[in-house]
Amino acid sequence: MRPFLVVGNWKMNGTRESATQLVNEILRGPELPATAEIAICPPFVYLADMARLLNGGTLILGAQNLCAEDNGPYTGEVSGSMLRDAGCRYVIVGHSERRNLYAENDALVARKFMAAQRAGLTPILCVGETLTQRQRGETHAVIMRQLMAVLDAAGIDAFDQAVVAYEPVWAIGTGKTATSAQAQEVHALVRACISAGNARIGGAIRLLYGGSVKASNAAELFQMPDINGGLVGGASLEAYEFIAICKAAI
Ligand code: PGA
């Protein structure tokens, strides 16, 4: 099994000064566990600064989004190769805020996933249902649709160098976490779906849970058999809370 992965998604928060302070606090804080890879995803404009601070150490750099195209007349966009250049290894694709607020559909998410891999980045593909979809009993159908869109476009082998994050939309930034049983159920579904294409890849792929992960609930979530890490929003903006979550990694 690959090491656990804990990813801090800073979203659109902070300043250059607060970002620098946060990274310094994480680097100087209690030792991070060797059993996990730890990544932070700052806003684009702070990536280069953060890369200099991290200086190739144990903390890894990721980005929150990328353009589906490689280069050209796409004003305001940032390509995968630019993110690589800035020192990123990971990039989040298909976050529910991108899907819901910026109308990113399954087809675009699949193109972004493939653009990330063309640039040598590991995509962290987010999937998740809304509260209404869960209440209607559509959770499995929604997750499968979001996952299959990328599997069909990119092919099963692409998942050898990818991460999937299950983030129920109703749990993001709301303080409501899926129970470990609810999360495990969806994670098992995702793993089964990938394993149906390739058992080795399905067994090895890291599946992260995201949605109001905190130091107080991380250990319970992380002990589930198909949860291999976390995608952490709000709690990643506080060094000691984030470190405590990382320490819950198995
Ligand atoms: P949250 O965000 O931890 O603040 O709920 C998670 C995410 O959106 O990735």
Side-chain angles (χ1 to χ4, degrees):
M1 198 41 129
R2 298 175 203 192
F4 247 60
L5 175 62
V6 181
V7 181
N9 172 12
W10 292 4
K11 309 192 183 187
M12 197 174 74
N13 289 298
T15 60
R16 191 149 75 107
E17 194 183 339
S18 69
T20 303
Q21 191 182 333
L22 177 54
V23 166
N24 279 330
E25 277 173 17
I26 297 171
L27 293 177
R28 289 195 208 113
E31 208 180 322
L32 294 168
T35 49
E37 277 187 349
I38 320 269
I40 52 165
C41 300
F44 286 147
V45 289
Y46 302 134
L47 286 172
D49 290 306
M50 297 307 111
R52 270 192 293 279
L53 271 183
L54 301 183
N55 195 21
T58 47
L59 257 188
I60 301 167
L61 200 60
Q64 301 172 20
N65 183 29
L66 83 166
C67 183
E69 306 297 335
D70 295 339
N71 53 59
Y74 303 100
T75 302
E77 292 292 303
V78 176
S79 72
S81 57
M82 291 170 184
L83 297 177
R84 251 325 260 200
D85 226 6
C88 291
R89 293 237 307 264
Y90 289 99
V91 61
I92 299 170
V93 299
H95 190 281
S96 68
E97 287 152 17
R98 303 294 319 170
R99 291 180 190 262
N100 299 333
L101 302 174
Y102 300 97
E104 292 194 7
N105 60 21
D106 288 337
L108 180 59
V109 171
R111 286 175 52 227
K112 289 191 173 198
F113 179 99
M114 292 187 285
Q117 292 192 327
R118 279 197 303 280
L121 295 162
T122 299
I124 300 171
L125 168 66
C126 298
V127 297
E129 82 288 1
T130 63
L131 186 57
T132 315
Q133 289 166 334
R134 176 163 281 268
Q135 285 166 343
R136 287 191 189 140
E138 295 169 3
T139 299
H140 286 203
V142 170
I143 303 299
M144 289 301 284
R145 191 201 75 223
Q146 293 174 340
L147 188 59
M148 288 311 295
V150 181
L151 267 169
D152 285 344
I156 182 66
D157 290 346
F159 281 72
D160 213 4
Q161 291 302 325
V163 174
V164 178
Y166 168 54
E167 295 208 308
V169 180
W170 47 272
I172 296 177
T174 58
K176 281 188 209 144
T177 321
T179 64
S180 51
Q182 282 172 324
Q184 166 59 28
E185 188 195 334
V186 175
H187 281 234
L189 173 81
V190 171
R191 196 179 300 287
C193 176
I194 297 169
S195 295
N198 182 310
R200 181 189 61 77
I201 294 174
I205 192 166
R206 287 175 299 178
L207 307 180
L208 313 186
Y209 170 79
S212 299
V213 175
K214 303 183 270 279
S216 58
N217 59 27
E220 197 189 329
L221 288 158
F222 290 175
Q223 77 186 4
M224 301 311 280
D226 289 305
I227 299 184
N228 315 111
L231 180 52
V232 185
S236 72
L237 296 169
E238 269 235 39
Y240 280 82
E241 182 77 10
F242 187 58
I243 292 168
I245 292 169
C246 294
K247 282 185 171 295
I250 292 164

